[in-house]
């Protein structure tokens, strides 16, 4: 039954699946966004809108889960699980996600992938701070070590950022892009713990269906926010004109647009799923681990320089990744030993 608590093995399996889905989004999203701007795209609100406009795709797994419940529970199967209270909270977070998407798109329009990826470093810092204050997450020496390594690794990527300034981008536009990207990092880093807080405060069992419903509401709200921006900026009228002027051709313009929506939806689906299966900090750590991968792909597809700083960043990120998961392994091991000792103590008391 879907509404039963997930077993530990199933949770690990879902965590792996969500991590893989998230990897597609976090590695592919910045690249396809940069491709849009490099090849002649210039609509920031459209780029923001594409980050969450793929939310209707969520209806596919929701429909599958509903028919599964109908098969097992009959006509008593619930059509949806989200409550008005969770809906409102998810919608508010979604609007903030829309603002964050706009800031990120604005920054990415002026920055190369190697620089805009610094967003992830700031995001991890604010996720960690938010997780500590909002959901009272306890840190271990391993998680602290992982945070330091991942953040230092990401910051190293910015040492020669100014040397990667794209042609045609003024110093003023570059600086503004850097600032709004940092603001996007701060905002998004705080949103992750709030998503986790929704799970913790929900007065019901958190099922896969509910997680998908929360994700859909957030992405719908974000899309609605960006739609208002597109209407005000007359982006809808400009799409056909921009498509004809796109360097790769009109047909490929629409291909880029469609795949942008799909790839970014993978990121949001994976991120929300990771938070459900683990924690907001875990989601932030995975994003930071994937940062060097995005850097390498930026080098391959956009001929960006792979400096020694990027190589060192890759090493530190992998080290931080191993440190974090080793700490999680040790934590789980201690919890198991403690549970066994409690069971043995209970058994001895019952025999007495």
């Amino acid at each position: 039954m879907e509404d039963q608590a997930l077993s530990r093995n199933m949770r690990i399996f879902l965590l792996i699946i969500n991590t893989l889905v998230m990897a597609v989004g976090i590695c592919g999203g910045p690249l396809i966004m940069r491709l849009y701007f490099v090849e002649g795209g210039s609509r920031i609100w459209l780029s923001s809108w594409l980050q969450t406009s793929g939310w209707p795709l969520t209806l596919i797994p929701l429909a599958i889960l509903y028919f599964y419940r109908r098969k097992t529970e009959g006509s008593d199967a619930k059509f949806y699980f989200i409550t008005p209270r969770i809906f409102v909270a998810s919608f508010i977070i979604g609007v903030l996600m829309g603002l964050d998407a706009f800031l990120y798109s604005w920054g990415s329009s002026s920055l190369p992938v190697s620089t805009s990826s610094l967003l992830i470093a700031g995001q991890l810092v604010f996720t960690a701070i938010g997780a500590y204050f909002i959901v009272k997450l306890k840190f271990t020496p391993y998680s602290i070590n992982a945070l330091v390594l991942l953040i230092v690794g990401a910051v190293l990527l910015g040492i020669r950022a100014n040397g990667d300034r794209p042609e045609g981008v003024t110093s003023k536009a570059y600086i503004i892009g850097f600032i709004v990207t940092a603001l996007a990092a701060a905002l998004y880093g705080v949103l992750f713990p709030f998503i986790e807080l929704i799970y913790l405060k929900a007065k019901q069992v958190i099922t896969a269906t509910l997680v998908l419903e929360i994700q859909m509401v957030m992405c719908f709200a974000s899309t609605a926010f960006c739609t208002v921006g597109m209407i005000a900026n007359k982006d809808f009228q400009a799409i056909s004109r921009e498509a004809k002027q796109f360097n790769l051709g009109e047909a490929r313009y629409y291909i880029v647009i469609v795949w942008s929506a799909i790839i970014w939806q993978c990121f949001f689906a994976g991120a929300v799923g990771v938070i459900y299966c683990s924690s907001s900090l875990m989601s932030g750590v995975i994003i930071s681990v994937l940062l060097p991968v995005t850097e390498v792909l930026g080098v391959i597809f956009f001929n960006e320089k792979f400096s020694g700083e990027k190589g060192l960043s890759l090493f530190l990120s992998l080290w931080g990744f191993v440190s974090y998961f080793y700490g999680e392994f040790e934590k789980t091991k201690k919890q198991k030993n403690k549970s066994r000792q409690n069971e043995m103590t209970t058994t001895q008391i019952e025999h007495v």
Side-chain angles (χ1 to χ4, degrees), residues 310-345:
K310 292 180 181 178
L312 183 57
S313 173
L314 174 61
F315 172 74
L316 291 175
S317 295
L318 292 175
W319 183 6
F321 179 77
V322 172
S323 175
Y324 180 82
F325 279 97
Y326 180 76
E328 289 297 301
F329 172 77
E330 288 294 315
K331 182 180 177 181
T332 303
K333 187 177 178 181
K334 288 181 180 179
Q335 289 176 344
K336 282 185 176 181
N337 291 335
K338 188 176 180 179
S339 298
R340 288 175 183 173
Q341 290 176 356
N342 291 336
E343 288 176 3
M344 290 177 62
T345 303

Side-chain angles (χ1 to χ4, degrees), residues 6 11-12 14-16 18-19 135 137 192 196-197 199-200 211 270-286 324-325 328 331-332:
L6 289 176
R11 191 172 289 273
I12 292 175
L14 289 176
L15 178 61
I16 294 172
N18 280 291
T19 299
V135 296
L137 182 69
F192 270 13
E196 185 176 0
L197 185 64
Y199 297 152
L200 295 175
V211 171
V272 172
V274 168
I275 294 173
Y276 165 57
C277 296
S278 182
S279 66
S280 56
L281 181 62
M282 174 72 161
S283 186
V285 167
I286 291 175
Y324 180 82
F325 279 97
E328 289 297 301
K331 182 180 177 181
T332 303

Side-chain angles (χ1 to χ4, degrees), residues 43 46 233-243 253:
R43 316 305 294 191
L46 171 61
N233 201 46
K234 298 182 179 180
D235 279 10
F236 286 108
Q237 296 92 320
I239 289 177
S240 60
R241 183 174 66 253
E242 189 174 68
Y253 173 85

Side-chain angles (χ1 to χ4, degrees), residues 88-351:
V88 171
S90 301
F91 194 90
I92 293 172
I93 291 176
V95 171
L96 293 174
M97 282 172 54
L99 174 60
D100 183 85
F102 173 73
L103 292 173
Y104 181 44
S105 295
W106 187 1
S108 296
S109 67
S110 304
L111 306 177
V113 174
S114 58
T115 305
S116 63
S117 292
L118 282 170
L119 164 70
I120 299 172
Q123 178 266 334
L124 180 60
V125 173
F126 286 96
T127 297
I129 295 172
Y132 179 78
F133 287 105
I134 297 172
V135 296
K136 310 301 180 184
L137 182 69
K138 294 182 179 179
F139 290 100
T140 66
Y142 296 104
S143 61
I144 293 174
N145 181 57
L147 284 171
V148 172
L149 290 171
L150 290 168
I151 292 168
V152 170
V155 169
L156 281 173
L157 297 175
I159 291 180
R160 294 186 180 178
N162 192 46
D164 287 338
R165 180 156 56 92
E167 294 182 9
V169 177
T170 64
S171 297
K172 181 180 178 180
Y174 185 88
I175 293 172
I176 293 175
F178 208 95
I179 292 173
V180 296
T181 301
L183 291 174
L187 178 57
Y188 206 75
V190 173
L191 290 180
F192 270 13
F194 274 115
I195 295 173
E196 185 176 0
L197 185 64
I198 290 179
Y199 297 152
L200 295 175
K201 295 296 183 179
K203 298 179 180 178
Q204 62 189 101
V205 176
I206 304 298
T207 64
T209 296
L210 181 58
V211 171
L212 288 171
E213 289 172 352
I214 291 172
Q215 176 207 333
M216 186 174 69
V217 171
M218 288 190 298
C219 289
F220 170 77
S222 175
T223 304
F225 175 85
C226 293
T227 299
V228 174
M230 287 184 68
I231 293 173
N233 201 46
K234 298 182 179 180
D235 279 10
F236 286 108
Q237 296 92 320
I239 289 177
S240 60
R241 183 174 66 253
E242 189 174 68
K244 294 177 182 178
Q245 299 173 350
F246 199 60
N247 295 338
L248 299 179
E250 187 174 357
R252 290 182 179 177
Y253 173 85
Y254 290 109
I255 292 175
V256 169
I257 292 298
V258 171
W259 276 104
S260 291
I262 295 173
I263 291 173
W264 276 116
Q265 195 59 33
C266 287
F267 167 69
F268 286 107
V272 172
V274 168
I275 294 173
Y276 165 57
C277 296
S278 182
S279 66
S280 56
L281 181 62
M282 174 72 161
S283 186
V285 167
I286 291 175
I287 292 174
S288 294
V289 169
L290 294 171
L291 172 61
V293 179
T294 307
E295 292 297 316
V296 172
L297 293 175
V299 171
I300 295 173
F301 291 108
F302 297 110
N303 296 320
E304 295 180 2
K305 298 178 181 178
F306 190 83
S307 60
E309 289 84 357
K310 292 180 181 178
L312 183 57
S313 173
L314 174 61
F315 172 74
L316 291 175
S317 295
L318 292 175
W319 183 6
F321 179 77
V322 172
S323 175
Y324 180 82
F325 279 97
Y326 180 76
E328 289 297 301
F329 172 77
E330 288 294 315
K331 182 180 177 181
T332 303
K333 187 177 178 181
K334 288 181 180 179
Q335 289 176 344
K336 282 185 176 181
N337 291 335
K338 188 176 180 179
S339 298
R340 288 175 183 173
Q341 290 176 356
N342 291 336
E343 288 176 3
M344 290 177 62
T345 303
T346 303
T347 303
Q348 291 174 353
I349 292 174
E350 289 176 351
H351 280 89

